Amino acid sequence: MPNRELIIAEIPRLRRYARALTGDSSRADDLVQDTLERALARFSLWRPGNLRAWLFTIMHNIFVNQIRSAIHIDYLADDLLPDLPLRATQSDNLELRDLDRALGRLTAEQREVLLLVGLEDLSYEDAAKVIGSPVGTVMSRLSRGRERLRALLAGVELPAGARLKVVK
C-alpha cells in the first residue's frame, strides 16, 4: 500500500496543475479525485521513483480522455480571475489577468509543458513521461510556448505555429 503521507503531500500540486488544465476549481477537484482514485486502485503498477511525475501522468491521461469525450473547457473565462491568489496592487491583478489570457491562447501542448516545467518544476525527462512524448518534444514545445507567451504578453501577435529562428 502506498505511503499515505507521500500521496497527501502531492495533493496541492495536483490541485494546482488540475486547475491550470481545466480552468475551473470544481472540475479541477473532480480531476484530482479521479486521479487519486485511479492511482490508489493501480498503485501496484507504480515503480519507485518520482511519485509526482507518475500522478501527473495519470492526471494528464484522464484529462486527455475527458477532452476526447467532447468536454469543452473555456480557458479564457474571466470568471476564473477572482479565485486566483493575488497581491494587493492593481497592476499585479492586470498582469495576472494578462498572463491567464495569454496562457489560454497557447496550444494545449505548449501550455501543458510550460505548466509542468515552469510551474510544477518537473525535469524535462519527467515532463516527457507525463505527456508521453520524447524529451526533445518537451524542449521544443517549451521553447515555442515561452516564445509565444513572451510575444503575447508584449502585445505582439505571433501565429500559433510560428517557427523559431535557426541558429548556427
Side-chain angles (χ1 to χ4, degrees):
M1 197 58 176
N3 185 335
R4 184 176 178 181
E5 290 77 28
L6 290 175
I7 292 177
I8 290 172
E10 296 302 327
I11 291 175
R13 288 186 172 98
L14 289 170
R15 291 193 75 226
R16 184 172 56 216
Y17 184 52
R19 175 72 185 263
L21 286 175
T22 64
D24 178 80
S25 60
S26 65
R27 285 188 284 192
D29 288 342
D30 291 342
L31 183 57
V32 170
Q33 181 174 340
D34 293 344
T35 300
L36 293 172
E37 286 176 5
R38 187 170 295 176
L40 290 172
R42 298 181 180 162
F43 196 77
S44 62
L45 300 176
W46 180 62
R47 301 294 171 244
N50 191 335
L51 179 63
R52 183 183 316 151
W54 185 69
L55 292 170
F56 281 176
T57 302
I58 292 171
M59 180 176 286
H60 170 80
N61 291 337
I62 291 170
F63 180 70
V64 168
N65 290 340
Q66 289 173 348
I67 289 176
R68 288 182 182 153
S69 299
I71 295 175
H72 177 70
I73 299 171
D74 183 9
Y75 287 101
L76 298 176
D78 286 333
D79 61 340
L80 300 177
L81 296 176
D83 294 337
L84 295 174
L86 301 173
R87 291 193 318 249
T89 67
Q90 181 66 21
S91 65
D92 286 347
N93 187 21
L94 295 173
E95 289 172 6
L96 201 60
R97 184 199 64 201
D98 292 345
L99 177 61
D100 184 54
R101 287 182 177 165
L103 281 170
R105 294 183 65 194
L106 296 176
T107 65
E109 293 84 11
Q110 291 172 344
R111 184 175 41 253
E112 282 179 334
V113 171
L114 266 171
L115 293 171
L116 289 171
V117 174
L119 182 64
E120 298 302 336
D121 203 28
L122 289 184
S123 67
Y124 293 163
E125 293 80 12
D126 288 338
K129 290 176 188 173
V130 169
I131 65 171
S133 296
V135 173
T137 301
V138 168
M139 294 169 66
S140 174
R141 287 178 184 173
L142 182 63
S143 178
R144 287 190 177 105
R146 284 177 175 163
E147 179 184 11
R148 184 138 194 269
L149 187 61
R150 277 196 282 296
L152 288 168
L153 291 173
V156 178
E157 184 61 38
L158 288 179
R163 294 276 181 208
L164 296 175
K165 296 176 187 173
V166 177
V167 178
K168 294 184 180 183

